[in-house]
Amino acid sequence: MSSNQTSYGATFKHSPGFYILSRLVVLFFMIIIIFPILYTFSMSIRSPETVYSAKFFLIPEEFSFQNYIDAFEYGEKRLKVSFPRMFVNSIIVTSSSVILIITLSIFAAFGFSHYKFPLKESVYNIMIASVAMPAQVLLIPMFYILLYMGILNTYQAVILAYAGFLIPIGILILRMFFEQIPKELSEAAIVEGASDFQLLTRVLLPLAKPAIATCIILLFLDTWNEFVYAMVFMQDSSIHTIPVALAKIGTSRYQISIGTYSAAIMITVIPVLTIFAIFQRWFIAGITMGALKH
Amino acid sequence: MNLKFNYRTLLYLFPALLIFIVFNVLPGMTSLVLSFFEFSGFETNLFQKFVGWKNFIKISNDKYFWIALKNTFLFVFGAVFIQTGIALLLAIFIFFGNFKYSTLIRSIIFFPCVLAPVSVGLVWKKIFEQDGVLNTIIGLDFSWLSSVSLAIWLIITVNTWQWIGYTLVIYYAGLQSLNTELLEAADIDGANWRAKIFSIVIPLLWPTTILNMILNLIGGFRAFDIVYVLTRGGPAHYSEVLASYLYYYSFAAGGPSKMGVGASIAFVIFACIFSIAIIRVIAMKRINK
């Protein structure tokens, strides 16, 4: 890939106009992308007295972690959900949803890819079509279904709602992957006397690791950052997830200093940023692969 | 590979299908039916009061519904054309620009995509405030998000800021699988870089452009979080989109709690997506002919 890229670059190398313009445009967009986050970070580490004075908008005059302490206190006193609790809530919801969706999608994708049955493609096409529907369309009836089931205001409410919404994506990606695996491999396993379950667990799943990784990344981002279902189906503040609690801080009637506000945002941004920094290649590859499967 | 269908196959398919039906198909269908009923969120039987087209007549007489509809289309327009257009040029500049750190550059432009739209909205909300840094930089004293005409465009800008990297990495994948022969031929003919980009690269990327436009179209209809956090649909309801107006009618604290009306707005969103899907199928058939 890299040798390819240099040969591409070569066709544009001798155009100074393109060379300069590309630097200017890319630099401009890098600044636009980085500045807001850097600015929020800078705000969060200024001492409350020097919040509005900084060199070049970004370099604080006086460093302080007081805002982070204030943000933790604000969460506990005003929101009735502390930051550690929000993280626990988000981790419970995200990990249960992802595990549930991936497990069920693996089995269903195996059914779709390795068996023949009536209405197979119709059912599959309905699932794929549902991916385009915005989640808000289901909001009102879903609220009542969860109410009648008696699980409104519990983790299960949001986990099942996410599952109903995201299972089609899991099946889509895994079915495509299972069908790319050469048929001969499955046939050989069956001839060797493997049951269909063994075919799935011993032959297909070990090969499907990249597809499963893609699913985990896509589902993690969708569930960790999800806002409207989490807000409407879990109104009890002690089980708020991070986006819901953060939105409450940001749109609250109570006075909150910009330093504390910024610190609250950074507490939620830094962990995601760290995970992204470690797995960035996976994230970008996973997102691209997920998009190309549509 | 076609294994023989047996009872275990049902076990493989059943759990996923059950959850999909109960938590996706059923609420989807119910939502369409509910738009013909009146209920406020306290009844136990939602289907008691059939009101025919009343909810639809109500929204059609509601000035803010039409603003929300217009804003939704502006949002979709911004995502489909502005976001795709900027990402296309950016991808070409990064790809052909021979940057030493092109992977790092892509990661940086991509990273807002992994953040929650709620966090992104809150970051920008402070920037746009009257005593915010935007006014400090350009030396104005203007309350950006309180502007009736500007608010929706600012939301669209923030949304573009967050998702431009998503469109960019998909374009980048398209560029990496581009056929080099035409570019090499153009080099031999001595074509300049503008001609190469506009007559060769962009036309060759057309399938990727279509894919990006479809993905951004779907994403445009979905936007809710960023509107909720930045303006809550305000000032008045001038920056409302369909999804946020649905929420306002059905669930918002201090809102009217008219869920039937909310369901009729959901019906409108459904109808938009459905007509676009049909147009897409017809267009595909024409192209394939």
Side-chain angles (χ1 to χ4, degrees), chain A residues 40 43-48 51 65-75 83 246 249-250 255-267, chain B residues 126:
Chain A
T40 309
M43 276 291 187
S44 74
I45 53 169
R46 295 177 197 179
S47 68
V51 144
F65 284 103
Q66 186 58 38
N67 290 319
Y68 286 84
I69 298 163
D70 290 347
F72 271 93
E73 274 177 12
Y74 185 93
F83 274 92
L246 192 63
I249 296 177
Q255 269 297 313
I256 179 167
S257 81
I258 185 167
T260 316
Y261 175 99
S262 304
I265 298 175
M266 288 318 293
I267 293 169
Chain B
K126 275 286 177 253

PDB file of all heavy atoms in Angstrom, chain A residues 40 43-48 51 65-75 83 246 249-250 255-267, chain B residues 126:
ATOM      1  N   THR A  40     -11.305  23.374  25.250  1.00  0.00           N
ATOM      2  CA  THR A  40     -12.055  22.857  26.395  1.00  0.00           C
ATOM      3  C   THR A  40     -11.102  22.290  27.441  1.00  0.00           C
ATOM      4  O   THR A  40     -11.272  22.498  28.647  1.00  0.00           O
ATOM      5  CB  THR A  40     -13.041  21.771  25.927  1.00  0.00           C
ATOM      6  OG1 THR A  40     -13.796  22.285  24.851  1.00  0.00           O
ATOM      7  CG2 THR A  40     -13.973  21.342  27.041  1.00  0.00           C
ATOM      8  N   MET A  43      -9.457  25.164  29.243  1.00  0.00           N
ATOM      9  CA  MET A  43     -10.390  25.742  30.211  1.00  0.00           C
ATOM     10  C   MET A  43     -10.452  24.908  31.486  1.00  0.00           C
ATOM     11  O   MET A  43     -10.564  25.440  32.590  1.00  0.00           O
ATOM     12  CB  MET A  43     -11.797  25.793  29.608  1.00  0.00           C
ATOM     13  CG  MET A  43     -12.051  26.999  28.759  1.00  0.00           C
ATOM     14  SD  MET A  43     -12.091  28.451  29.808  1.00  0.00           S
ATOM     15  CE  MET A  43     -12.590  29.694  28.684  1.00  0.00           C
ATOM     16  N   SER A  44     -10.398  23.581  31.311  1.00  0.00           N
ATOM     17  CA  SER A  44     -10.614  22.686  32.449  1.00  0.00           C
ATOM     18  C   SER A  44      -9.432  22.688  33.415  1.00  0.00           C
ATOM     19  O   SER A  44      -9.593  22.310  34.566  1.00  0.00           O
ATOM     20  CB  SER A  44     -10.892  21.262  31.965  1.00  0.00           C
ATOM     21  OG  SER A  44      -9.701  20.673  31.499  1.00  0.00           O
ATOM     22  N   ILE A  45      -8.243  23.089  32.943  1.00  0.00           N
ATOM     23  CA  ILE A  45      -7.079  23.043  33.848  1.00  0.00           C
ATOM     24  C   ILE A  45      -6.645  24.439  34.302  1.00  0.00           C
ATOM     25  O   ILE A  45      -5.559  24.613  34.815  1.00  0.00           O
ATOM     26  CB  ILE A  45      -5.872  22.310  33.200  1.00  0.00           C
ATOM     27  CG1 ILE A  45      -5.548  22.898  31.836  1.00  0.00           C
ATOM     28  CG2 ILE A  45      -6.133  20.813  33.093  1.00  0.00           C
ATOM     29  CD1 ILE A  45      -4.223  22.407  31.269  1.00  0.00           C
ATOM     30  N   ARG A  46      -7.520  25.449  34.099  1.00  0.00           N
ATOM     31  CA  ARG A  46      -7.193  26.770  34.620  1.00  0.00           C
ATOM     32  C   ARG A  46      -7.737  26.914  36.036  1.00  0.00           C
ATOM     33  O   ARG A  46      -8.790  26.359  36.346  1.00  0.00           O
ATOM     34  CB  ARG A  46      -7.826  27.858  33.746  1.00  0.00           C
ATOM     35  CG  ARG A  46      -7.248  27.880  32.349  1.00  0.00           C
ATOM     36  CD  ARG A  46      -7.950  28.913  31.505  1.00  0.00           C
ATOM     37  NE  ARG A  46      -7.666  28.648  30.094  1.00  0.00           N
ATOM     38  CZ  ARG A  46      -8.150  29.361  29.091  1.00  0.00           C
ATOM     39  NH1 ARG A  46      -8.944  30.385  29.338  1.00  0.00           N
ATOM     40  NH2 ARG A  46      -7.847  29.058  27.844  1.00  0.00           N
ATOM     41  N   SER A  47      -7.041  27.677  36.834  1.00  0.00           N
ATOM     42  CA  SER A  47      -7.574  27.931  38.182  1.00  0.00           C
ATOM     43  C   SER A  47      -8.799  28.839  38.034  1.00  0.00           C
ATOM     44  O   SER A  47      -8.859  29.652  37.113  1.00  0.00           O
ATOM     45  CB  SER A  47      -6.510  28.606  39.046  1.00  0.00           C
ATOM     46  OG  SER A  47      -6.272  29.903  38.564  1.00  0.00           O
ATOM     47  N   PRO A  48      -9.793  28.677  38.911  1.00  0.00           N
ATOM     48  CA  PRO A  48     -11.044  29.429  38.771  1.00  0.00           C
ATOM     49  C   PRO A  48     -10.838  30.935  38.623  1.00  0.00           C
ATOM     50  O   PRO A  48     -11.619  31.601  37.943  1.00  0.00           O
ATOM     51  CB  PRO A  48     -11.789  29.100  40.068  1.00  0.00           C
ATOM     52  CG  PRO A  48     -11.272  27.763  40.463  1.00  0.00           C
ATOM     53  CD  PRO A  48      -9.838  27.729  40.020  1.00  0.00           C
ATOM     54  N   VAL A  51      -9.693  31.974  34.726  1.00  0.00           N
ATOM     55  CA  VAL A  51     -10.390  31.264  33.665  1.00  0.00           C
ATOM     56  C   VAL A  51     -10.413  32.044  32.353  1.00  0.00           C
ATOM     57  O   VAL A  51     -10.294  31.477  31.273  1.00  0.00           O
ATOM     58  CB  VAL A  51     -11.815  30.898  34.135  1.00  0.00           C
ATOM     59  CG1 VAL A  51     -12.830  30.987  33.023  1.00  0.00           C
ATOM     60  CG2 VAL A  51     -11.821  29.495  34.709  1.00  0.00           C
ATOM     61  N   PHE A  65      -6.186  21.730  39.212  1.00  0.00           N
ATOM     62  CA  PHE A  65      -7.109  20.627  38.973  1.00  0.00           C
ATOM     63  C   PHE A  65      -8.402  20.800  39.762  1.00  0.00           C
ATOM     64  O   PHE A  65      -9.219  19.892  39.842  1.00  0.00           O
ATOM     65  CB  PHE A  65      -6.437  19.291  39.290  1.00  0.00           C
ATOM     66  CG  PHE A  65      -5.483  18.877  38.210  1.00  0.00           C
ATOM     67  CD1 PHE A  65      -4.112  19.014  38.383  1.00  0.00           C
ATOM     68  CD2 PHE A  65      -5.958  18.394  36.998  1.00  0.00           C
ATOM     69  CE1 PHE A  65      -3.242  18.673  37.364  1.00  0.00           C
ATOM     70  CE2 PHE A  65      -5.095  18.053  35.985  1.00  0.00           C
ATOM     71  CZ  PHE A  65      -3.724  18.190  36.160  1.00  0.00           C
ATOM     72  N   GLN A  66      -8.555  22.003  40.336  1.00  0.00           N
ATOM     73  CA  GLN A  66      -9.730  22.280  41.152  1.00  0.00           C
ATOM     74  C   GLN A  66     -11.031  22.012  40.402  1.00  0.00           C
ATOM     75  O   GLN A  66     -11.989  21.473  40.956  1.00  0.00           O
ATOM     76  CB  GLN A  66      -9.686  23.746  41.621  1.00  0.00           C
ATOM     77  CG  GLN A  66     -10.772  24.126  42.605  1.00  0.00           C
ATOM     78  CD  GLN A  66     -10.745  23.276  43.864  1.00  0.00           C
ATOM     79  OE1 GLN A  66      -9.680  22.932  44.372  1.00  0.00           O
ATOM     80  NE2 GLN A  66     -11.920  22.891  44.341  1.00  0.00           N
ATOM     81  N   ASN A  67     -11.064  22.360  39.100  1.00  0.00           N
ATOM     82  CA  ASN A  67     -12.281  22.175  38.304  1.00  0.00           C
ATOM     83  C   ASN A  67     -12.727  20.713  38.281  1.00  0.00           C
ATOM     84  O   ASN A  67     -13.919  20.423  38.254  1.00  0.00           O
ATOM     85  CB  ASN A  67     -12.054  22.649  36.873  1.00  0.00           C
ATOM     86  CG  ASN A  67     -11.921  24.159  36.809  1.00  0.00           C
ATOM     87  OD1 ASN A  67     -12.652  24.862  37.484  1.00  0.00           O
ATOM     88  ND2 ASN A  67     -10.973  24.625  36.013  1.00  0.00           N
ATOM     89  N   TYR A  68     -11.745  19.800  38.243  1.00  0.00           N
ATOM     90  CA  TYR A  68     -12.095  18.377  38.203  1.00  0.00           C
ATOM     91  C   TYR A  68     -12.710  17.954  39.528  1.00  0.00           C
ATOM     92  O   TYR A  68     -13.686  17.196  39.557  1.00  0.00           O
ATOM     93  CB  TYR A  68     -10.862  17.540  37.856  1.00  0.00           C
ATOM     94  CG  TYR A  68     -10.499  17.662  36.386  1.00  0.00           C
ATOM     95  CD1 TYR A  68      -9.737  18.722  35.918  1.00  0.00           C
ATOM     96  CD2 TYR A  68     -10.970  16.740  35.462  1.00  0.00           C
ATOM     97  CE1 TYR A  68      -9.436  18.868  34.584  1.00  0.00           C
ATOM     98  CE2 TYR A  68     -10.676  16.864  34.116  1.00  0.00           C
ATOM     99  CZ  TYR A  68      -9.908  17.929  33.681  1.00  0.00           C
ATOM    100  OH  TYR A  68      -9.641  18.061  32.345  1.00  0.00           O
ATOM    101  N   ILE A  69     -12.148  18.470  40.622  1.00  0.00           N
ATOM    102  CA  ILE A  69     -12.714  18.163  41.943  1.00  0.00           C
ATOM    103  C   ILE A  69     -14.132  18.723  42.029  1.00  0.00           C
ATOM    104  O   ILE A  69     -15.070  18.046  42.456  1.00  0.00           O
ATOM    105  CB  ILE A  69     -11.810  18.755  43.054  1.00  0.00           C
ATOM    106  CG1 ILE A  69     -10.424  18.112  42.972  1.00  0.00           C
ATOM    107  CG2 ILE A  69     -12.432  18.554  44.426  1.00  0.00           C
ATOM    108  CD1 ILE A  69      -9.340  18.869  43.725  1.00  0.00           C
ATOM    109  N   ASP A  70     -14.296  19.977  41.541  1.00  0.00           N
ATOM    110  CA  ASP A  70     -15.624  20.606  41.556  1.00  0.00           C
ATOM    111  C   ASP A  70     -16.620  19.811  40.721  1.00  0.00           C
ATOM    112  O   ASP A  70     -17.776  19.644  41.109  1.00  0.00           O
ATOM    113  CB  ASP A  70     -15.543  22.041  41.012  1.00  0.00           C
ATOM    114  CG  ASP A  70     -14.809  22.959  41.974  1.00  0.00           C
ATOM    115  OD1 ASP A  70     -14.602  22.537  43.133  1.00  0.00           O
ATOM    116  OD2 ASP A  70     -14.445  24.075  41.566  1.00  0.00           O
ATOM    117  N   ALA A  71     -16.163  19.337  39.559  1.00  0.00           N
ATOM    118  CA  ALA A  71     -17.063  18.579  38.682  1.00  0.00           C
ATOM    119  C   ALA A  71     -17.537  17.301  39.372  1.00  0.00           C
ATOM    120  O   ALA A  71     -18.717  16.951  39.326  1.00  0.00           O
ATOM    121  CB  ALA A  71     -16.363  18.239  37.372  1.00  0.00           C
ATOM    122  N   PHE A  72     -16.619  16.607  40.068  1.00  0.00           N
ATOM    123  CA  PHE A  72     -17.001  15.397  40.791  1.00  0.00           C
ATOM    124  C   PHE A  72     -18.049  15.716  41.859  1.00  0.00           C
ATOM    125  O   PHE A  72     -19.042  15.010  42.012  1.00  0.00           O
ATOM    126  CB  PHE A  72     -15.771  14.741  41.440  1.00  0.00           C
ATOM    127  CG  PHE A  72     -15.091  13.763  40.531  1.00  0.00           C
ATOM    128  CD1 PHE A  72     -14.034  14.149  39.726  1.00  0.00           C
ATOM    129  CD2 PHE A  72     -15.524  12.447  40.470  1.00  0.00           C
ATOM    130  CE1 PHE A  72     -13.421  13.252  38.872  1.00  0.00           C
ATOM    131  CE2 PHE A  72     -14.913  11.540  39.616  1.00  0.00           C
ATOM    132  CZ  PHE A  72     -13.861  11.945  38.814  1.00  0.00           C
ATOM    133  N   GLU A  73     -17.813  16.838  42.580  1.00  0.00           N
ATOM    134  CA  GLU A  73     -18.764  17.217  43.624  1.00  0.00           C
ATOM    135  C   GLU A  73     -20.119  17.605  43.034  1.00  0.00           C
ATOM    136  O   GLU A  73     -21.166  17.243  43.550  1.00  0.00           O
ATOM    137  CB  GLU A  73     -18.201  18.388  44.438  1.00  0.00           C
ATOM    138  CG  GLU A  73     -17.318  17.919  45.567  1.00  0.00           C
ATOM    139  CD  GLU A  73     -16.703  19.075  46.334  1.00  0.00           C
ATOM    140  OE1 GLU A  73     -17.134  20.231  46.142  1.00  0.00           O
ATOM    141  OE2 GLU A  73     -15.782  18.798  47.122  1.00  0.00           O
ATOM    142  N   TYR A  74     -20.055  18.339  41.925  1.00  0.00           N
ATOM    143  CA  TYR A  74     -21.289  18.772  41.264  1.00  0.00           C
ATOM    144  C   TYR A  74     -22.140  17.562  40.879  1.00  0.00           C
ATOM    145  O   TYR A  74     -23.349  17.537  41.102  1.00  0.00           O
ATOM    146  CB  TYR A  74     -20.941  19.589  40.011  1.00  0.00           C
ATOM    147  CG  TYR A  74     -22.145  20.193  39.329  1.00  0.00           C
ATOM    148  CD1 TYR A  74     -22.559  21.485  39.633  1.00  0.00           C
ATOM    149  CD2 TYR A  74     -22.868  19.476  38.381  1.00  0.00           C
ATOM    150  CE1 TYR A  74     -23.657  22.050  39.019  1.00  0.00           C
ATOM    151  CE2 TYR A  74     -23.968  20.026  37.752  1.00  0.00           C
ATOM    152  CZ  TYR A  74     -24.360  21.317  38.075  1.00  0.00           C
ATOM    153  OH  TYR A  74     -25.448  21.865  37.467  1.00  0.00           O
ATOM    154  N   GLY A  75     -21.481  16.545  40.304  1.00  0.00           N
ATOM    155  CA  GLY A  75     -22.202  15.335  39.907  1.00  0.00           C
ATOM    156  C   GLY A  75     -22.928  14.717  41.089  1.00  0.00           C
ATOM    157  O   GLY A  75     -24.111  14.385  41.012  1.00  0.00           O
ATOM    158  N   PHE A  83     -19.677  10.714  39.000  1.00  0.00           N
ATOM    159  CA  PHE A  83     -18.999  10.327  37.767  1.00  0.00           C
ATOM    160  C   PHE A  83     -18.627   8.840  37.730  1.00  0.00           C
ATOM    161  O   PHE A  83     -18.881   8.177  36.727  1.00  0.00           O
ATOM    162  CB  PHE A  83     -17.772  11.216  37.517  1.00  0.00           C
ATOM    163  CG  PHE A  83     -18.129  12.482  36.799  1.00  0.00           C
ATOM    164  CD1 PHE A  83     -18.434  13.630  37.492  1.00  0.00           C
ATOM    165  CD2 PHE A  83     -18.193  12.503  35.420  1.00  0.00           C
ATOM    166  CE1 PHE A  83     -18.781  14.797  36.829  1.00  0.00           C
ATOM    167  CE2 PHE A  83     -18.540  13.660  34.744  1.00  0.00           C
ATOM    168  CZ  PHE A  83     -18.831  14.813  35.452  1.00  0.00           C
ATOM    169  N   LEU A 246     -24.213  13.987  31.327  1.00  0.00           N
ATOM    170  CA  LEU A 246     -23.466  15.128  30.814  1.00  0.00           C
ATOM    171  C   LEU A 246     -24.401  16.176  30.217  1.00  0.00           C
ATOM    172  O   LEU A 246     -24.234  17.376  30.448  1.00  0.00           O
ATOM    173  CB  LEU A 246     -22.462  14.649  29.763  1.00  0.00           C
ATOM    174  CG  LEU A 246     -21.405  15.655  29.341  1.00  0.00           C
ATOM    175  CD1 LEU A 246     -20.530  16.033  30.515  1.00  0.00           C
ATOM    176  CD2 LEU A 246     -20.563  15.106  28.201  1.00  0.00           C
ATOM    177  N   ILE A 249     -25.825  18.151  32.972  1.00  0.00           N
ATOM    178  CA  ILE A 249     -24.900  19.169  33.484  1.00  0.00           C
ATOM    179  C   ILE A 249     -24.886  20.364  32.543  1.00  0.00           C
ATOM    180  O   ILE A 249     -24.981  21.514  32.961  1.00  0.00           O
ATOM    181  CB  ILE A 249     -23.469  18.590  33.607  1.00  0.00           C
ATOM    182  CG1 ILE A 249     -23.439  17.470  34.647  1.00  0.00           C
ATOM    183  CG2 ILE A 249     -22.478  19.698  33.979  1.00  0.00           C
ATOM    184  CD1 ILE A 249     -22.099  16.793  34.781  1.00  0.00           C
ATOM    185  N   GLY A 250     -24.795  20.074  31.243  1.00  0.00           N
ATOM    186  CA  GLY A 250     -24.604  21.138  30.261  1.00  0.00           C
ATOM    187  C   GLY A 250     -25.829  22.002  30.054  1.00  0.00           C
ATOM    188  O   GLY A 250     -25.709  23.135  29.594  1.00  0.00           O
ATOM    189  N   GLN A 255     -26.323  27.340  38.237  1.00  0.00           N
ATOM    190  CA  GLN A 255     -25.104  27.987  37.770  1.00  0.00           C
ATOM    191  C   GLN A 255     -23.950  26.996  37.831  1.00  0.00           C
ATOM    192  O   GLN A 255     -23.799  26.256  38.794  1.00  0.00           O
ATOM    193  CB  GLN A 255     -24.793  29.196  38.651  1.00  0.00           C
ATOM    194  CG  GLN A 255     -25.420  30.480  38.135  1.00  0.00           C
ATOM    195  CD  GLN A 255     -24.875  30.864  36.776  1.00  0.00           C
ATOM    196  OE1 GLN A 255     -23.752  30.851  36.593  1.00  0.00           O
ATOM    197  NE2 GLN A 255     -25.650  31.202  35.800  1.00  0.00           N
ATOM    198  N   ILE A 256     -23.175  26.949  36.788  1.00  0.00           N
ATOM    199  CA  ILE A 256     -21.979  26.114  36.811  1.00  0.00           C
ATOM    200  C   ILE A 256     -20.872  26.901  36.130  1.00  0.00           C
ATOM    201  O   ILE A 256     -21.104  27.512  35.082  1.00  0.00           O
ATOM    202  CB  ILE A 256     -22.231  24.754  36.133  1.00  0.00           C
ATOM    203  CG1 ILE A 256     -20.972  23.896  36.126  1.00  0.00           C
ATOM    204  CG2 ILE A 256     -22.773  24.902  34.725  1.00  0.00           C
ATOM    205  CD1 ILE A 256     -21.216  22.451  35.776  1.00  0.00           C
ATOM    206  N   SER A 257     -19.702  26.935  36.745  1.00  0.00           N
ATOM    207  CA  SER A 257     -18.620  27.738  36.153  1.00  0.00           C
ATOM    208  C   SER A 257     -18.113  27.043  34.899  1.00  0.00           C
ATOM    209  O   SER A 257     -18.203  25.819  34.768  1.00  0.00           O
ATOM    210  CB  SER A 257     -17.483  27.896  37.152  1.00  0.00           C
ATOM    211  OG  SER A 257     -16.676  26.743  37.141  1.00  0.00           O
ATOM    212  N   ILE A 258     -17.579  27.843  33.966  1.00  0.00           N
ATOM    213  CA  ILE A 258     -17.140  27.266  32.692  1.00  0.00           C
ATOM    214  C   ILE A 258     -15.994  26.278  32.909  1.00  0.00           C
ATOM    215  O   ILE A 258     -15.860  25.294  32.178  1.00  0.00           O
ATOM    216  CB  ILE A 258     -16.754  28.374  31.679  1.00  0.00           C
ATOM    217  CG1 ILE A 258     -16.411  27.746  30.330  1.00  0.00           C
ATOM    218  CG2 ILE A 258     -15.628  29.241  32.186  1.00  0.00           C
ATOM    219  CD1 ILE A 258     -16.321  28.712  29.204  1.00  0.00           C
ATOM    220  N   GLY A 259     -15.195  26.498  33.959  1.00  0.00           N
ATOM    221  CA  GLY A 259     -14.112  25.562  34.265  1.00  0.00           C
ATOM    222  C   GLY A 259     -14.642  24.196  34.650  1.00  0.00           C
ATOM    223  O   GLY A 259     -14.194  23.161  34.143  1.00  0.00           O
ATOM    224  N   THR A 260     -15.636  24.181  35.547  1.00  0.00           N
ATOM    225  CA  THR A 260     -16.232  22.924  35.982  1.00  0.00           C
ATOM    226  C   THR A 260     -16.928  22.231  34.817  1.00  0.00           C
ATOM    227  O   THR A 260     -16.818  21.010  34.639  1.00  0.00           O
ATOM    228  CB  THR A 260     -17.254  23.191  37.110  1.00  0.00           C
ATOM    229  OG1 THR A 260     -16.672  24.114  38.020  1.00  0.00           O
ATOM    230  CG2 THR A 260     -17.633  21.930  37.819  1.00  0.00           C
ATOM    231  N   TYR A 261     -17.643  23.026  34.036  1.00  0.00           N
ATOM    232  CA  TYR A 261     -18.333  22.533  32.836  1.00  0.00           C
ATOM    233  C   TYR A 261     -17.341  21.844  31.905  1.00  0.00           C
ATOM    234  O   TYR A 261     -17.549  20.711  31.455  1.00  0.00           O
ATOM    235  CB  TYR A 261     -18.977  23.749  32.180  1.00  0.00           C
ATOM    236  CG  TYR A 261     -19.678  23.592  30.858  1.00  0.00           C
ATOM    237  CD1 TYR A 261     -21.069  23.478  30.810  1.00  0.00           C
ATOM    238  CD2 TYR A 261     -18.986  23.629  29.655  1.00  0.00           C
ATOM    239  CE1 TYR A 261     -21.731  23.399  29.595  1.00  0.00           C
ATOM    240  CE2 TYR A 261     -19.636  23.544  28.443  1.00  0.00           C
ATOM    241  CZ  TYR A 261     -21.018  23.435  28.414  1.00  0.00           C
ATOM    242  OH  TYR A 261     -21.668  23.361  27.217  1.00  0.00           O
ATOM    243  N   SER A 262     -16.201  22.526  31.656  1.00  0.00           N
ATOM    244  CA  SER A 262     -15.192  21.966  30.763  1.00  0.00           C
ATOM    245  C   SER A 262     -14.578  20.701  31.347  1.00  0.00           C
ATOM    246  O   SER A 262     -14.314  19.738  30.623  1.00  0.00           O
ATOM    247  CB  SER A 262     -14.097  22.995  30.489  1.00  0.00           C
ATOM    248  OG  SER A 262     -14.660  24.168  29.983  1.00  0.00           O
ATOM    249  N   ALA A 263     -14.347  20.717  32.668  1.00  0.00           N
ATOM    250  CA  ALA A 263     -13.766  19.535  33.303  1.00  0.00           C
ATOM    251  C   ALA A 263     -14.710  18.348  33.170  1.00  0.00           C
ATOM    252  O   ALA A 263     -14.278  17.225  32.885  1.00  0.00           O
ATOM    253  CB  ALA A 263     -13.471  19.822  34.770  1.00  0.00           C
ATOM    254  N   ALA A 264     -16.032  18.605  33.349  1.00  0.00           N
ATOM    255  CA  ALA A 264     -17.014  17.520  33.218  1.00  0.00           C
ATOM    256  C   ALA A 264     -16.949  16.922  31.812  1.00  0.00           C
ATOM    257  O   ALA A 264     -16.976  15.698  31.646  1.00  0.00           O
ATOM    258  CB  ALA A 264     -18.417  18.053  33.507  1.00  0.00           C
ATOM    259  N   ILE A 265     -16.839  17.769  30.786  1.00  0.00           N
ATOM    260  CA  ILE A 265     -16.741  17.255  29.418  1.00  0.00           C
ATOM    261  C   ILE A 265     -15.469  16.430  29.254  1.00  0.00           C
ATOM    262  O   ILE A 265     -15.488  15.321  28.719  1.00  0.00           O
ATOM    263  CB  ILE A 265     -16.746  18.409  28.385  1.00  0.00           C
ATOM    264  CG1 ILE A 265     -18.062  19.180  28.462  1.00  0.00           C
ATOM    265  CG2 ILE A 265     -16.531  17.884  26.975  1.00  0.00           C
ATOM    266  CD1 ILE A 265     -18.112  20.408  27.576  1.00  0.00           C
ATOM    267  N   MET A 266     -14.354  16.974  29.763  1.00  0.00           N
ATOM    268  CA  MET A 266     -13.081  16.271  29.574  1.00  0.00           C
ATOM    269  C   MET A 266     -13.064  14.919  30.286  1.00  0.00           C
ATOM    270  O   MET A 266     -12.468  13.966  29.788  1.00  0.00           O
ATOM    271  CB  MET A 266     -11.908  17.135  30.067  1.00  0.00           C
ATOM    272  CG  MET A 266     -11.586  18.338  29.192  1.00  0.00           C
ATOM    273  SD  MET A 266     -11.619  18.072  27.400  1.00  0.00           S
ATOM    274  CE  MET A 266     -10.232  16.969  27.154  1.00  0.00           C
ATOM    275  N   ILE A 267     -13.724  14.812  31.451  1.00  0.00           N
ATOM    276  CA  ILE A 267     -13.760  13.531  32.154  1.00  0.00           C
ATOM    277  C   ILE A 267     -14.393  12.462  31.254  1.00  0.00           C
ATOM    278  O   ILE A 267     -13.993  11.304  31.263  1.00  0.00           O
ATOM    279  CB  ILE A 267     -14.547  13.649  33.484  1.00  0.00           C
ATOM    280  CG1 ILE A 267     -13.808  14.552  34.458  1.00  0.00           C
ATOM    281  CG2 ILE A 267     -14.769  12.278  34.121  1.00  0.00           C
ATOM    282  CD1 ILE A 267     -14.628  14.931  35.687  1.00  0.00           C
TER     283      ILE A 267
ATOM    284  N   LYS B 126     -20.382  26.313  24.431  1.00  0.00           N
ATOM    285  CA  LYS B 126     -19.625  27.352  25.151  1.00  0.00           C
ATOM    286  C   LYS B 126     -18.873  28.257  24.191  1.00  0.00           C
ATOM    287  O   LYS B 126     -18.744  29.455  24.430  1.00  0.00           O
ATOM    288  CB  LYS B 126     -18.643  26.705  26.133  1.00  0.00           C
ATOM    289  CG  LYS B 126     -19.269  26.366  27.473  1.00  0.00           C
ATOM    290  CD  LYS B 126     -19.504  27.618  28.324  1.00  0.00           C
ATOM    291  CE  LYS B 126     -20.198  27.283  29.623  1.00  0.00           C
ATOM    292  NZ  LYS B 126     -21.568  27.662  29.733  1.00  0.00           N
TER     293      LYS B 126
END
